[in-house]
Amino acid sequence: MSHDPLYFDDLKIGDAFETATHALDVDQIKGFARQFDPQPFHLDDDAARETIFRGLAGSGWHTAAITMRLLVTSGPRLANGILGAGAEIGWNAPTRPGDVLRVKSEVIGLTASRSRQDRGAVVMRSSTLNQHGDVVQTMTAKLMVRRPAAIPLCRGPYGSDGLDQ
């Protein structure tokens, strides 16, 4: 992956990105659940076996947070960061202790702003997959991405436009 920031004008429909991985364990699942989603199927192995999950399952919000972390740390290096302007998210399968997650993303829409010349909207579809290639989460997000600043024309006595020579 390039270390140069990607601006709106650098992107095209079909551009694809893949992140590094994140290994999920019981302590992470229960720690997140205790703080943010304290439901029995995220906290208690025995109680979780009696639910539709048939075992301990990570919170969908935890999966979303891991997805965000992976996108920020190893996904597309957008010039102004991963700046969301809305998203649709779906959880296709539960995450489990021992899962190793990664994110695959694709640019599916580009719209230059008509009122703000310094940005555009990028629609990115991301799938979070486990180590078996099973999609555990899908997200379609609208991201605001900066356009490169215009380079000012130099008009001094040493300018490059030749007008003052």
Side-chain angles (χ1 to χ4, degrees), residues 154-165:
C154 183
R155 292 192 175 264
Y158 303 103
S160 60
D161 62 6
L163 297 176
D164 296 314
Q165 295 180 356

Side-chain angles (χ1 to χ4, degrees), residues 60-104:
W61 297 114
H62 191 189
T63 304
I66 292 168
T67 297
M68 185 65 184
R69 168 89 184 207
L70 288 170
L71 288 170
V72 169
T73 59
S74 62
R77 188 164 174 250
L78 301 178
N80 52 280
I82 307 292
L83 181 59
E88 182 178 315
I89 191 166
W91 293 290
N92 306 59
T95 54
R96 306 285 188 178
D99 276 352
V100 178
L101 305 178
R102 71 183 191 284
V103 182
K104 288 186 174 185

Side-chain angles (χ1 to χ4, degrees), residues 16-118:
F17 307 92
E18 187 166 347
T19 68
T21 61
H22 177 88
L24 193 57
D25 62 33
V26 171
D27 290 339
Q28 291 174 49
I29 288 172
K30 290 182 178 183
F32 184 92
R34 274 192 296 278
Q35 190 167 6
F36 299 108
D37 191 355
Q39 299 187 74
F41 42 84
H42 301 319
L43 291 167
D44 182 277
D45 300 300
D46 293 329
R49 278 193 279 284
E50 301 302 319
T51 70
I52 63 170
F53 295 115
R54 301 281 184 235
L56 192 68
S59 168
W61 297 114
H62 191 189
T63 304
I66 292 168
T67 297
M68 185 65 184
R69 168 89 184 207
L70 288 170
L71 288 170
V72 169
T73 59
S74 62
R77 188 164 174 250
L78 301 178
N80 52 280
I82 307 292
L83 181 59
E88 182 178 315
I89 191 166
W91 293 290
N92 306 59
T95 54
R96 306 285 188 178
D99 276 352
V100 178
L101 305 178
R102 71 183 191 284
V103 182
K104 288 186 174 185
S105 300
E106 179 183 2
V107 174
I108 63 169
L110 294 165
T111 306
S113 174
R114 291 187 299 198
S115 61
R116 298 279 194 110
Q117 297 298 314
D118 65 337

